[in-house]
Amino acid sequence: MVGSSGEYAIIAPMRVLLVASPAHATVARFTPTLATLAAQGCSIEACLPLSSELTREGIPHVALGDSELDAALRGLTDGDLLIAPLAGPAALGAVAHVIGRGAGAPLLLVDANDAGDLVGSLAMARDGGTVGAAVRERLIQSAAFALASVLAPAARGNDEFPERQLLLLERVRTFQHGENPHQRAAAYQHALRNRAGVLGAQLVQGSEPTLNDVLDLDAGARLVADLPIPSAALIRHTDPIGVATAETPLGALKRALGTDHAAASGAIVALNMPIDRAVAVEIASGSYEAVVAPGVADESAA
């Protein structure tokens, strides 16, 4: 492989090293990729426990013992590829080794969802194109994130308030601008938790909220979550304009509006109970940026 300016052109057959636990279901997802690479003339090498599985799938390969596997890993160049779904200590160690090598490290694939882009890039390289630095960086980032996801629970331990922990975030969405038009912004959430809160809410009607809307919606949802049911709050610039509780959802909303009805225009409405028809009619009679609630009690209210 030769390269300049961060781009690489394949000029020799690629070595592909597969390191994984045969008992892990993820391995089967790489079978089509391995078959494609073998058909393109790549040399497939795999740790010994995987040999029978690859043979059953009709993929030509060389089976490697533990000592041979270690030497093969160290011998991979930037023109080669390591496939290592994170299952078992061997795969974890191999991925950490490649990430730690930096310059001159082989291509790295840990997620079968990234295989399509990789195979496409390799096909372009064989036709005289290049495998760019951006492809390599994206694969390394994917592998590093996957590795950190495996290690994060161990780093945290079982303590309620651990001394150290890894905080892994994934981007949920980007915004047209930040709090001000000249700023850029994106929203992230915990990667190891189910999506919850405002960012995990279902959009029932209207356009995607802006960053300022999301900040206000989050502030409102957190506020009413600590209040008796039913309660309502009106929020602008993350500050409450009106907050109230009452016997009925409509009563709570009207009380909140009554604190400063003029300032409520353009605010967000936060409720801690599903929106019923009476509440929907009241909201429709005003002008608000967005509404957040646990649900819609009557589908016709949406």
Side-chain angles (χ1 to χ4, degrees):
M1 175 172 282
V2 297
S4 62
S5 302
E7 295 187 335
Y8 303 81
I10 295 177
I11 60 174
M14 170 182 280
R15 289 178 61 200
V16 178
L17 178 61
L18 175 63
V19 181
S21 167
H24 199 278
T26 306
V27 175
R29 298 185 60 195
F30 288 91
T31 300
T33 302
L34 290 167
T36 299
L37 293 173
Q40 292 179 353
C42 295
S43 172
I44 309 294
E45 303 172 20
C47 55
L48 190 58
L50 291 172
S51 181
S52 59
E53 188 169 336
L54 295 181
T55 299
R56 185 169 58 252
E57 296 294 336
I59 298 175
H61 65 282
V62 176
L64 304 176
D66 291 342
S67 60
E68 297 170 309
L69 181 64
D70 185 59
L73 178 62
R74 293 197 307 270
L76 292 177
T77 70
D78 60 5
D80 300 324
L81 168 65
L82 171 66
I83 299 179
L86 294 177
L92 291 172
V95 170
H97 169 80
V98 169
I99 292 175
R101 280 177 59 176
L107 290 162
L108 179 57
L109 182 63
V110 302
D111 188 342
N113 292 324
D114 296 327
D117 289 341
L118 173 62
V119 172
S121 297
L122 294 175
M124 290 177 59
R126 285 186 172 81
D127 291 335
T130 59
V131 177
V135 175
R136 291 176 174 270
E137 182 178 1
R138 186 165 62 250
L139 292 173
I140 286 290
Q141 287 177 338
S142 177
F145 191 87
L147 182 61
S149 299
V150 173
L151 298 177
R156 188 185 192 285
N158 296 319
D159 293 340
E160 182 181 5
F161 301 108
E163 183 177 351
R164 300 181 183 89
Q165 63 175 310
L166 296 176
L167 182 62
L168 299 178
L169 303 176
E170 61 181 348
R171 191 179 66 205
V172 178
R173 59 165 295 199
T174 57
F175 299 92
Q176 288 187 341
H177 59 78
E179 292 188 63
N180 297 296
H182 66 282
Q183 297 171 325
R184 301 176 62 190
Y188 290 78
Q189 70 171 19
H190 283 284
L192 303 182
R193 300 179 185 175
N194 292 329
R195 184 175 295 187
V198 170
L199 292 176
Q202 177 185 358
L203 181 64
V204 176
Q205 191 179 76
S207 58
E208 289 284 349
T210 66
L211 174 63
N212 289 331
D213 291 338
V214 168
L215 295 175
D216 285 347
L217 289 167
D218 182 67
R222 290 175 182 272
L223 175 57
V224 296
D226 288 332
L227 299 177
I229 297 175
S231 293
L234 302 168
I235 306 291
R236 289 190 69 174
H237 305 300
T238 68
D239 291 326
I241 296 171
V243 184
T245 186
E247 295 297 322
T248 66
L250 180 60
L253 178 57
K254 285 190 172 183
R255 280 185 179 178
L257 287 168
T259 58
D260 192 342
H261 204 286
S265 178
I268 71 97
V269 178
L271 308 166
N272 64 1
M273 64 287 179
I275 299 173
D276 59 22
R277 178 171 291 278
V279 169
V281 170
E282 179 64 33
I283 291 173
S285 67
S287 177
Y288 308 105
E289 286 295 315
V291 181
V292 61
V296 179
D298 185 341
E299 289 187 4
S300 63

